[in-house]
């Protein structure tokens, strides 16, 4: 049986593989999880011994098929819990990440099935992150790009935002920059601020480059996968 910490590592490596491609360096894992490099190296060795990842010296690690399956199951639990907490227990979308982190390792498959059914088998969580299917098929996020990679005048639909920073989520919620929202880039400052106009409200909001980097978008004629839960 895997420990909660082992599952957290596998989930982190899966996420980093999607963002940057494999192999994933131990330094990137350490930064993502807030761990020291020696701690990460030790855990990577344990996961390699269990056949959950492959490690290439001086390059990094990549999940095996078994490791990916574990990561997808934990992600499915996490994102279903975030959706349930938001939709049925009146949590704000900025509060659910830590709660889901604590619960994701401990729910049964029957509980998971009932939560999914109660939510109507959602495709995405409140932040627009795709929920792996019950058979743990990896979700398809191809076609999404970072907001920061676009130019002034581009109109885009917000598909996903990062769920890791509660203050950032509150900021985006107040600005109206949430999954499903159509925005237009009106200015990109030399020092990195990206200003967008929310088309529904005709309101402008400046976003730090680091925040714009975490927002995933598509052109208006390309729909995001599924529909997000509205932030509370």
């Amino acid at each position: 049986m895997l420990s909660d910490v082992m599952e957290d590592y596998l989930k982190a490596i899966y996420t980093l593989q999607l963002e940057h491609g494999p192999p994933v360096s131990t330094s990137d894992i350490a930064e993502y999880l807030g761990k020291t490099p020696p701690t990460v190296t030790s855990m990577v060795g344990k996961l390699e011994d269990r056949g959950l990842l492959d490690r290439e010296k001086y390059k990094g690690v990549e999940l095996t098929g078994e490791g990916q399956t574990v990561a997808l199951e934990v992600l499915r639990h996490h994102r279903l819990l975030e959706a349930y907490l938001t939709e049925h227990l009146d949590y704000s979308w900025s509060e659910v990440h830590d709660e889901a982190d604590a619960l994701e390792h401990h729910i049964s498959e029957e509980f998971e099935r009932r939560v999914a059914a109660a939510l109507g088998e959602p495709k995405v969580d409140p932040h627009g992150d795709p929920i792996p299917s019950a058979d743990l098929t990896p979700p398809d996020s191809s076609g999404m790009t970072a907001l920061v990679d676009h130019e002034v005048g581009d109109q885009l639909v917000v598909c996903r935002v990062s769920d890791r920073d509660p203050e950032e989520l509150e900021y985006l919620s107040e600005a109206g920059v949430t999954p499903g929202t159509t925005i237009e880039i009106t200015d990109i400052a030399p020092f990195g601020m990206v200003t967008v106009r929310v088309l529904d409200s005709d309101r402008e909001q400046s976003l730090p480059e680091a925040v714009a980097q975490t927002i995933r978008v598509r052109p208006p004629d390309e729909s995001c996968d599924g529909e997000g839960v509205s932030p509370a």
Side-chain angles (χ1 to χ4, degrees):
M1 183 174 178
L2 298 179
S3 68
D4 295 358
V5 174
M6 287 178 170
E7 291 183 347
D8 285 338
Y9 269 79
L10 295 172
K11 183 176 70 170
I13 294 167
Y14 178 82
T15 301
L16 291 168
Q17 283 185 182
L18 287 183
E19 292 178 357
H20 308 296
V24 177
S25 69
T26 53
S27 59
D28 283 346
I29 299 170
E31 181 179 359
Y32 188 89
L33 291 173
K35 307 288 186 182
T36 65
T39 299
V40 172
T41 299
S42 174
M43 179 56 73
V44 161
K46 293 176 183 177
L47 294 172
E48 183 181 26
D49 290 343
R50 287 176 173 252
L52 298 169
L53 55 80
D54 293 321
R55 176 169 50 169
E56 189 171 353
K57 198 171 184 180
Y58 305 121
K59 290 191 176 181
V61 302
E62 181 176 0
L63 295 178
T64 62
E66 184 180 354
Q68 177 175 276
T69 296
V70 174
L72 286 168
E73 183 172 28
V74 178
L75 274 176
R76 176 171 169 79
H77 290 177
H78 181 96
R79 292 173 181 174
L80 282 172
L81 286 164
E82 286 193 335
Y84 188 82
L85 290 167
T86 303
E87 189 167 323
H88 289 282
L89 298 182
D90 296 326
Y91 276 74
S92 162
W93 76 334
S94 63
E95 299 174 312
V96 294
H97 178 74
D98 288 345
E99 293 281 10
D101 263 352
L103 294 168
E104 65 191 14
H105 308 287
H106 307 294
I107 66 172
S108 67
E109 298 311 300
E110 177 62 17
F111 185 86
E112 173 205 306
R113 186 189 66 76
R114 293 193 183 200
V115 167
L119 293 168
E121 305 295 339
K123 294 182 179 179
V124 297
D125 73 7
H127 313 100
D129 287 317
I131 298 173
S133 61
D135 65 3
L136 302 181
T137 300
D140 180 14
S141 299
S142 61
M144 293 186 194
T145 52
L147 174 60
V148 76
D149 293 333
H150 290 268
E151 300 177 351
V152 172
D154 286 354
Q155 289 192 1
L156 305 155
V157 175
V158 177
C159 290
R160 300 171 62 180
V161 300
S162 173
D163 66 352
R164 292 173 60 82
D165 187 333
E167 291 184 2
E168 182 179 306
L169 285 169
E170 290 291 352
Y171 180 77
L172 291 175
S173 183
E174 291 173 7
V177 181
T178 57
T181 302
T182 302
I183 59 176
E184 179 181 359
I185 299 177
T186 59
D187 185 59
I188 300 175
F191 51 85
M193 295 293 285
V194 179
T195 301
V196 301
R197 180 168 63 93
V198 179
L199 298 192
D200 285 348
S201 63
D202 203 32
R203 170 183 174 189
E204 288 199 346
Q205 183 68 43
S206 293
L207 305 171
E209 184 176 12
V211 174
Q213 181 65 53
T214 68
I215 297 172
R216 294 292 182 267
V217 295
R218 288 185 189 270
D221 58 349
E222 297 180 16
S223 64
C224 302
D225 293 332
E227 298 182 356
V229 181
S230 299

